């Protein structure tokens, strides 16, 4: 069974930093892609950042210059470095893994999330 476990969330004051981790039971390679999403109370889940099978990264506009997604293939872990945090960044952050078969079919798996709270 595919497993993803997020960690690193917590309480931080505005302007501070946190690093989130997502450990997966799967090997991070060119056969998969990963991303970070977040969901604030009363709002829909939104993309924060993702990294493709080829290693290309992209970010939501509000995160550019503040957040950085990276991966450590040796540890089967993806990270989200969060700097210059703002109160509006408060949300549950989720890790997503997409596994691709040889025929190109992909399926998404989700972690249970880690809560980030940014105080003003």
């Amino acid at each position: 069974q595919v497993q993803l476990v997020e960690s690193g969330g917590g309480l931080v004051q505005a302007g501070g930093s946190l690093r989130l981790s997502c450990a997966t039971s799967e090997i991070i390679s060119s056969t998969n892609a990963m991303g970070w999403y977040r969901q604030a109370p009363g709002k829909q889940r939104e993309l924060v950042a993702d990294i493709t099978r080829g290693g290309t990264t992209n970010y939501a506009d509000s995160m550019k210059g503040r957040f950085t997604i990276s991966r450590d293939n040796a540890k089967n872990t993806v990270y989200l470095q969060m700097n210059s945090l703002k109160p509006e960044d408060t949300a549950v952050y989720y890790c997503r893994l997409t596994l691709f078969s040889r025929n190109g079919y992909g399926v998404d798996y989700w972690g249970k999330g880690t809560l980030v709270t940014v105080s003003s």
Side-chain angles (χ1 to χ4, degrees), residues 39-116:
Q39 186 169 22
K43 296 185 178 181
Q44 298 183 25
R45 188 172 300 186
E46 64 176 343
L47 172 70
V48 175
D50 63 16
I51 183 165
T52 70
R53 289 174 289 175
T56 300
T57 60
N58 70 87
Y59 302 86
D61 288 342
S62 63
M63 289 75 167
K64 290 181 179 178
R66 299 191 299 125
F67 294 2
T68 303
I69 187 171
S70 62
R71 63 186 181 188
D72 187 335
N73 292 351
K75 295 182 177 180
N76 295 327
T77 300
V78 64
Y79 303 95
L80 182 68
Q81 179 65 46
M82 309 167 66
N83 299 325
S84 301
L85 285 163
K86 305 174 181 179
E88 51 264 42
D89 294 320
T90 296
V92 176
Y93 285 71
Y94 298 90
C95 178
R96 185 217 76 218
L97 167 69
T98 303
L99 297 180
F100 295 90
S101 64
R102 291 288 181 87
N103 60 14
Y105 177 78
V107 62
D108 293 342
Y109 297 88
W110 295 87
K112 294 184 177 180
T114 184
L115 177 63
V116 172

Side-chain angles (χ1 to χ4, degrees), residues 17-30:
S17 299
L18 286 174
R19 189 181 75 162
L20 307 183
S21 299
C22 175
T24 176
S25 61
E26 299 295 314
I27 296 174
I28 299 177
S29 68
S30 61

